[in-house]
Every structure is written in C-alpha cells, then in structure tokens.
Amino acid sequence: MRFEQTRDALLHVERFHRLAEQLYAELPAQTEGRVVMLLDYLRRHEAKQADNLRGAIGDLPPRVLNGWFKYSHDQDILAPLDKARLQPPKNFDEAFDLAFRLDEKLLVFYQEMIEQSPSAEAREIFVNLLGQEMKEKQKLMRGALGLLDL
C-alpha cells in the first residue's frame, strides 16, 4: 500500500499540465492550419494551469500539504500523454478529442482525490480544482468551436 501526501498529488497534477504543455508544443510540427492554432491555445492553457497550481501550492498551509492519503491514486493521468506522443493527432477532431480525453482523465483524478482526501481542507482543494477544471473544459469547447468558424 503506497501513501501519498496532498502536496504529492498537487505536484503530480502540475507535472501533468507541464507535460501536456510540452506535448502540445511538440505536435504542431506534424500538423497544419487550425490544428496548429488549437494546439497553441492548448499549450498556453496548460502553462497557465500549471503556473496557477504552483502558486496555489505555495499559498497552502503546510499542515494541509503534509496530509497523508491512506491510498495513493490508481489513475495514471500521465499515460494518455505518452500515448499521444506515439499516435499524434492528424486533424482538428483528433486534436480536440485528445484535449477532451486529457481533461476527462484529470476530472476522474480529482474525483478520486476528493473521495480519499485526508481532511476537509484537502477535500476542499480538490473540489475547487474539479470545479475549475470543469469550467476550463467548457472554455476549451467554446474556443475550439470558435476555431472551427475560421
């Protein structure tokens, strides 16, 4: 049985955002047109999410960050990033689907962290992150639809 602190879970999510940012930066060389614009939007989005999360971690009290989860998460949120490197999206729909799947993976992770949170304060952090990610997913969908109109 592995144990994981709240800090570890948050840093894992930050790593997810950084790796997604890197992935989206690498993919445009293999695509064209609106796909490049979508990937650039996604890259900036992931960088902003990672920066925001890093700032939030710095603002949290150590007693919350040092809280131990009884069980570590079972979801490997980084696996879809590796798969996308091996099978990069070839068109707009595939790039959008990739972003959607990555968001879904993160939402499932947050839900699992909410259920396993060691304290009410840690639970609140993940509830807030879940809510923010749901809003970001809606923004992504609106932004992608806007790119389709170009």
Side-chain angles (χ1 to χ4, degrees), residues 6 12 21 39 50 53 57 59 64-65 73 82 90 99 102 108 114 127-128 146:
T6 303
H12 190 62
E21 173 191 4
L39 293 172
L53 191 55
I57 292 170
D59 292 340
V64 175
L65 291 172
H73 63 88
D82 295 333
K90 296 173 193 70
L102 292 177
V108 169
I114 290 166
V127 166
N128 289 338

Side-chain angles (χ1 to χ4, degrees), residues 13-26:
V13 173
E14 182 192 8
R15 182 167 183 243
F16 170 86
H17 286 301
R18 294 285 181 213
L19 290 172
E21 173 191 4
Q22 183 181 34
L23 172 69
Y24 293 137
E26 294 168 358

